[in-house]
């Protein structure tokens, strides 16, 4: 709560490159029922929430439809590239592809923590996305959208997110 209040007062302390995109990571154990309201308040302060690696969040991976309201309100989704290649297990891989198939992904990133156990490898996932979807999708998710976020620009045109009947659809 204190971080949210401080972010509203000083958005550039928390955003990517001091612009308007804010990375948001949820705990695995609970997600506040007030998340939509919090995202709305952040947007009033000029920030665009970017939900990080929901495919690895136990709650969101099982119930991705919970993010639909947030997406419709302008939140974006960042998936860990290595989830698509199976690095984080089958459940994360399946959830990542579900998000991709429904056009809910705006960024594919490394979530690198160091150069040895969690190195910043993007090429295998880039090639996989280019092969399974198309090169334009890979370039949008790995290059164009991240560039826009870094410079604080609007994202280029995005596919319309599909509204699923259920997480199994």
């Amino acid at each position: 709560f204190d971080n949210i209040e401080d972010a509203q007062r000083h958005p550039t302390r928390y955003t990517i490159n001091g612009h308007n995109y804010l990375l948001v990571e949820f705990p695995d154990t609970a997600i506040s029922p007030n998340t939509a309201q919090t995202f709305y308040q952040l947007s009033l302060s000029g920030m665009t929430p970017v939900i990080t690696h929901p495919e690895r969040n136990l709650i969101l991976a099982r119930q991705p439809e919970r993010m639909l309201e947030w997406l419709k309100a302008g939140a974006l989704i960042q998936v860990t590239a290595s989830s698509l290649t199976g690095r984080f297990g089958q459940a994360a891989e399946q959830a990542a592809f579900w998000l991709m198939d429904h056009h809910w992904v705006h960024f594919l990133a490394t979530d690198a923590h160091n150069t040895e156990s969690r190195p910043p490898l993007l090429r295998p996932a880039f090639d996989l996305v280019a092969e399974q979807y198309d090169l334009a999708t890979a370039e949008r998710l790995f290059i164009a959208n991240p560039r826009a976020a870094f410079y604080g620009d609007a994202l280029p045109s995005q596919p319309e997110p599909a509204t699923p009947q259920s997480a199994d659809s």
Side-chain angles (χ1 to χ4, degrees), residues 16-21 143-154:
I16 296 172
N17 200 29
H19 293 294
N20 53 324
Y21 293 90
I143 300 168
N145 289 355
R147 179 183 293 128
F150 181 80
Y151 288 109
D153 297 332

Side-chain angles (χ1 to χ4, degrees), residues 38-92:
T38 300
F39 284 176
Y40 176 72
Q41 291 171 343
L42 292 170
S43 72
L44 291 177
S45 298
M47 291 177 275
T48 300
V50 178
I51 303 162
T52 62
H53 49 76
E55 80 285 1
R56 292 171 33 215
N57 179 286
L58 301 175
I59 297 167
L60 296 176
R62 290 184 187 133
Q63 300 173 331
E65 64 278 359
R66 292 182 67 168
M67 294 182 283
L68 187 57
E69 177 184 7
W70 309 333
L71 282 170
K72 288 181 178 180
L76 305 172
I77 293 179
Q78 175 177 292
V79 164
T80 304
S82 295
S83 291
L84 291 171
T85 60
R87 168 136 169 81
F88 295 102
Q90 187 177 23

Side-chain angles (χ1 to χ4, degrees), residues 58-134:
L58 301 175
I59 297 167
L60 296 176
R62 290 184 187 133
Q63 300 173 331
E65 64 278 359
R66 292 182 67 168
M67 294 182 283
L68 187 57
E69 177 184 7
W70 309 333
L71 282 170
K72 288 181 178 180
L76 305 172
I77 293 179
Q78 175 177 292
V79 164
T80 304
S82 295
S83 291
L84 291 171
T85 60
R87 168 136 169 81
F88 295 102
Q90 187 177 23
E93 182 179 356
Q94 288 174 345
F97 276 106
W98 188 94
L99 292 167
M100 288 288 297
D101 291 344
H102 287 81
H103 306 290
W104 288 19
V105 180
H106 301 91
F107 306 95
L108 285 162
T110 67
D111 196 25
H113 286 216
N114 55 54
T115 59
E116 294 174 21
S117 66
R118 296 262 296 266
L121 296 175
L122 289 175
R123 177 53 69 179
F126 181 95
D127 291 344
L128 179 68
V129 170
E131 180 183 314
Q132 290 196 14
Y133 297 92
D134 57 41

